[in-house]
Amino acid sequence: MAPHTSEVVSIESATDAILLASLSLVGVAVRSLEPVSITLQQYRTLVLLSEHGEQNVGGLAELLAIHPSGATRLCDRLLASGHIERATSRESRREVTVLLSARGRALVRKVTLDRGEEVRAIVAAVTPARRAEMIAGFSAFADAFGEQPDEAWKLGWTT
């Protein structure tokens, strides 16, 4: 049973609850990718390209926080599957960039919608009063992390 708002909740108890919720959300994320046969890292790359637009491989590696050689291999796989395209940079004709293809945009849209449906079904199983607590808790967590809600809207997410 959840503590009342007047009770003091330890950092450890809050951390445990958030980690448990994050395991559930990771499960939802992994399941949403199964029908489209793409890895979580590949999907994350597509989402970053959707959010940030055309990138050179070095910039993409930085966004992904991986080594540029890993980003090159990742892009090679996404190019082979048709989810991204190569282009010549607008700033420098010598620089090659990658961007989402129509197939990549469609995949991000589909996965986002499917994931939203699964989360909606889970939330529907929670009482309205507990939903208000969830909103407050997740909002406080996102605020503490520094997450900007506008990023979600770029992907077409709605509440």
Side-chain angles (χ1 to χ4, degrees), residues 22-23 25-34 36-48 64 74 77-78 107-108 111 115:
S22 73
L23 283 173
L25 291 169
V26 168
V28 169
V30 169
R31 275 197 306 270
S32 70
L33 297 176
E34 287 171 357
V36 294
S37 300
I38 193 166
T39 68
L40 196 52
Q41 180 78 329
Q42 290 170 336
Y43 179 72
R44 183 169 173 245
T45 302
L46 298 177
V47 169
L48 287 171
L64 290 163
L74 188 56
R77 288 189 293 275
L78 290 168
L107 183 134
V108 169
V111 170
R115 190 174 293 171

Side-chain angles (χ1 to χ4, degrees), residues 58-86:
L60 185 58
E62 194 172 307
L63 288 171
L64 290 163
I66 62 174
H67 194 274
S69 64
T72 298
R73 287 189 299 276
L74 188 56
C75 287
D76 287 344
R77 288 189 293 275
L78 290 168
L79 280 161
S81 66
H83 291 103
I84 64 173
E85 299 172 349
R86 279 194 180 108

Side-chain angles (χ1 to χ4, degrees), residues 33 41 53-54 97 114 141 150:
L33 297 176
Q41 180 78 329
E54 186 175 322
T97 59
D114 290 351
F141 185 82
D150 291 342

